[in-house]
Amino acid sequence: MIHLQDVTTTFGEGENKFTAVKNVNLDIAQGSIHGIIGFSGAGKSTLLRNINLLQRPTSGKVLVEGIDLMSLNEEELRAQRHQIGMIFQHFNLLNNRTAVQNVELNLKFQGVPKRERRQRALEALSVVDLSDKASAYPGQLSGGQKQRISIARALVTEPKILLCDEPTSAVDPRTTASVLQYLSDINANLGITTIIVTHEMNVIKAIADKVSVMEDGSVVEEFELRSLKEPGFEPQTSIGRYLISDEISLQRRNKTNELATSVFA
């Protein structure tokens, strides 16, 4: 479904040059839920944006259903992007538009007639159980409802792929479970290939089929989530082992002044 070949993305030039994604090769199966996890600055979000070329790679190939997006002109790329929905961390809703108007936006940009786009927007809201909030403005909605509106907005174009950039980091734990349930149901019922970027391993454990671990711009390890249930299995990399741990470990010091010196030095 999705194949990234030697994808590299750099920013700046000369002494200010920074490589955010380094020679990444990645295969994502059709209909799967694929997690990409790593610490802040690992290159996760840049790699996600490489998939739909919102951030164009410096080099490499991005193939979606066998089509190299890097080889397309602007018009051809826009047409391909209609098949790729995206959910953002901070919702990106327009406060002066109602829920249904926010969901309609992508269809409006595509030139879909008003009556048709309203019908499709209402259908998308129904998928996330927010038909009763169609006339509400973002300021009248909870964080979880806003994220569900953004899911509906991504679904309204009937995409084959759904890119999710930290979709639960702006909501509380209870709402996280609700958002993930909707994404899981959408994947199961509509067969949409879903890629989720997060730094939260509990999110990956709850929903993903496979996970790619990123560190310093590179994919350093991949494994199936079902492997975590196998006796004796553990990730091969230290970053992978750390990320699957549910524990928070603090360094204990013997003297109060040692801690103070460490913190305030």
Side-chain angles (χ1 to χ4, degrees):
M1 179 67 172
I2 300 170
H3 176 63
L4 306 184
Q5 181 179 330
D6 298 324
V7 168
T8 293
T9 305
T10 61
F11 299 97
E13 297 180 355
E15 294 180 356
N16 296 321
K17 186 176 181 179
F18 170 71
T19 303
V21 174
K22 303 175 182 177
N23 298 316
V24 168
N25 292 279
L26 190 64
D27 288 295
I28 298 173
Q30 183 172 354
S32 67
I33 300 179
H34 193 106
I36 301 175
I37 192 167
F39 296 132
S40 296
K44 308 182 301 297
S45 292
T46 300
L47 183 63
L48 190 75
R49 285 167 166 76
N50 287 159
I51 294 174
N52 61 359
L53 268 59
L54 278 183
Q55 179 62 57
R56 193 177 189 90
T58 306
S59 61
K61 292 185 177 182
V62 179
L63 292 98
V64 177
E65 294 191 310
I67 298 173
D68 185 3
L69 301 190
M70 296 280 283
S71 69
L72 304 181
N73 61 38
E74 285 301 316
E75 183 177 353
E76 292 169 334
L77 181 56
R78 280 196 297 271
Q80 288 298 316
R81 281 177 175 158
H82 292 166
Q83 302 182 53
I84 306 175
M86 191 158 188
I87 300 170
F88 298 93
Q89 177 179 357
H90 296 296
F91 319 134
N92 287 0
L93 302 179
L94 298 181
N95 290 325
N96 63 345
R97 293 178 182 265
T98 64
V100 71
Q101 289 171 338
N102 269 284
V103 174
E104 286 179 332
L105 277 179
N106 288 341
L107 297 179
K108 186 175 183 179
F109 295 147
Q110 292 178 22
V112 176
K114 184 175 181 179
R115 179 173 293 181
E116 180 183 348
R117 69 176 185 251
R118 177 55 56 93
Q119 179 181 349
R120 287 171 61 179
L122 290 172
E123 289 172 353
L125 285 173
S126 177
V127 170
V128 295
D129 295 325
L130 284 178
S131 297
D132 60 330
K133 299 295 184 180
S135 299
Y137 288 89
Q140 299 171 307
L141 302 173
S142 68
Q145 289 170 334
K146 291 177 185 178
Q147 191 59 290
R148 284 154 62 191
I149 296 296
S150 68
I151 293 172
R153 181 181 56 193
L155 292 177
V156 76
T157 59
E158 300 175 349
K160 296 180 180 180
I161 299 167
L162 193 58
L163 306 180
C164 307
D165 190 4
E166 301 276 8
T168 61
S169 64
V171 296
D172 60 64
R174 179 177 294 181
T175 305
T176 290
S178 174
V179 170
L180 293 179
Q181 187 64 62
Y182 280 105
L183 291 175
S184 178
D185 291 345
I186 288 165
N187 171 264
N189 296 330
L190 303 179
I192 298 175
T193 304
T194 304
I195 301 96
I196 297 181
V197 158
T198 182
H199 62 276
E200 300 174 278
M201 192 62 202
N202 62 326
V203 169
I204 296 298
K205 288 179 178 178
I207 194 171
D209 302 310
K210 188 175 182 179
V211 59
S212 298
V213 180
M214 289 194 72
E215 184 177 23
D216 193 27
S218 300
V219 173
V220 296
E221 184 170 14
E222 290 186 310
F223 52 86
E224 304 284 341
L225 262 293
R226 63 173 177 264
S227 298
L228 294 178
K229 298 180 181 179
E230 296 176 359
F233 172 82
E234 67 175 14
Q236 296 301 303
T237 62
S238 59
I239 182 73
R241 291 191 293 273
Y242 184 90
L243 287 169
I244 70 165
S245 173
D246 292 324
E247 298 178 357
I248 296 176
S249 179
L250 301 180
Q251 183 177 359
R252 301 299 180 184
R253 298 183 184 274
N254 294 326
K255 297 179 181 179
T256 303
N257 64 336
E258 287 182 359
L259 178 58
T261 299
S262 173
V263 173
F264 298 108

